[in-house]
Amino acid sequence: MKSKYLIICDTAEVAFVEVDETVDTLQTLQVLVNGRIDYVPCQRTFVGLDCWFNDEFSFYPEMLPNIVASYETNTYLQGLVVIARSNEEGKTISLTSEDVKLLESNLDITDRVVTLEEVAEMHAAIKAEYTARQAAERATKQTTDTEEN
């Protein structure tokens, strides 16, 4: 059986991700948000759902502001977030079919369901792109400094 969550990227791309229910939820959420997790409750359209995010986002300059999630939670957030449901014991569980319908009626969601591995690859690509951009900027600065001297 699969658990279904919604991911909202900081680029405003939105997709469902399905994960085998036997996979540890904490580990799944950490992979999805690319680090340590924390949550804030959804407070506007998706009341009753949880928004999970990387609690160290301020240390990752490659994570952009997530306008959609920030609006929904009334909290400034950066990077990819995960929308999920929790049960009465506080355990994170799959979105219900009603949740999926509500989310689909309010967000422009990609038709394709992504995998946990694809999200991990996306995080690695973003980090590599950011690192390459930083290296190029340092090289340009060194060249400029050398020419000025």
Side-chain angles (χ1 to χ4, degrees), residues 59-142:
F59 299 116
Y60 295 95
E62 67 270 19
M63 291 185 178
L64 303 174
N66 191 318
I67 305 302
V68 175
S70 296
Y71 174 80
E72 179 58 37
T73 61
N74 210 24
T75 304
Y76 178 77
L77 299 173
Q78 286 179 220
L80 183 146
V81 302
V82 178
I83 304 295
R85 174 167 284 287
S86 55
N87 64 16
E88 51 279 345
E89 289 103 32
K91 182 179 183 224
T92 299
I93 59 173
S94 181
L95 295 167
T96 65
S97 58
E98 292 81 21
D99 296 334
V100 169
K101 287 176 189 169
L102 175 65
L103 292 162
E104 287 176 333
S105 68
N106 286 280
L107 297 169
D108 184 18
I109 301 173
T110 306
D111 290 334
R112 190 175 70 80
V113 175
V114 298
T115 65
L116 193 59
E117 293 76 19
E118 289 174 307
V119 175
E121 289 170 8
M122 179 190 69
H123 286 305
I126 290 169
K127 185 171 181 88
E129 179 184 325
Y130 176 78
T131 302
R133 190 170 57 246
Q134 290 295 100
E137 288 174 8
R138 279 193 301 279
T140 301
K141 184 177 180 337
Q142 286 176 344

